Amino acid sequence: MTIAEVSKKYDITADTLRYYERIGLIPAVPRKPNGIRDYDQASCQWVELMKCMRKAGVQIEALIEYVELFRRGDETIDARKTILMEQRKRLVRKMQDMQETLERLDYKIEMYERGKMSAEYQMD
């Protein structure tokens, strides 16, 4: 697939795809003899994984480290798993924080709907 096709398929700009490859977030993409990127299935799987991880807020540095470890082979499986587990913990904490915020917003909205948003409730 061309970079334009991958960009459209995964809703990521071509510039972002080039950036991800340049910083090591996705392994080097195979190229045609004329130098044009030719995304194969493995490349697309990396793009999909990184899009998912970035969307969830996983740190770029952690993902770069993960890719570097992946390139070193199976002897890094435990280290890669550790990275993923740490990022999972961060994501769970973030989701908990977001849930608390959502509950607070729901409470405030309910107070408005009940007409109880006098000065005494505004800071609750």
Side-chain angles (χ1 to χ4, degrees), residues 40-104:
D40 57 11
Q41 183 179 358
S43 299
C44 289
Q45 288 172 337
W46 278 106
V47 170
E48 188 173 22
L49 175 65
M50 292 307 152
K51 179 179 178 181
C52 175
M53 296 294 118
R54 290 299 299 141
K55 184 177 177 182
V58 175
Q59 298 172 325
I60 286 180
E61 295 80 8
L63 293 171
I64 291 170
E65 182 180 1
Y66 178 85
V67 174
E68 289 172 358
L69 289 168
F70 177 83
R71 287 180 181 155
R72 292 189 211 158
D74 288 347
E75 67 273 5
T76 67
I77 287 174
D78 289 340
R80 285 183 270 157
K81 182 180 175 184
T82 298
I83 290 171
L84 294 176
M85 289 171 56
E86 178 57 36
Q87 292 305 309
R88 185 184 187 286
K89 286 179 193 174
R90 289 175 185 253
L91 183 56
V92 167
R93 283 192 303 266
K94 183 178 178 180
M95 290 171 60
Q96 289 168 342
D97 291 345
M98 292 176 73
Q99 183 62 41
E100 289 174 13
T101 301
L102 180 60
E103 289 169 7
R104 181 67 174 244

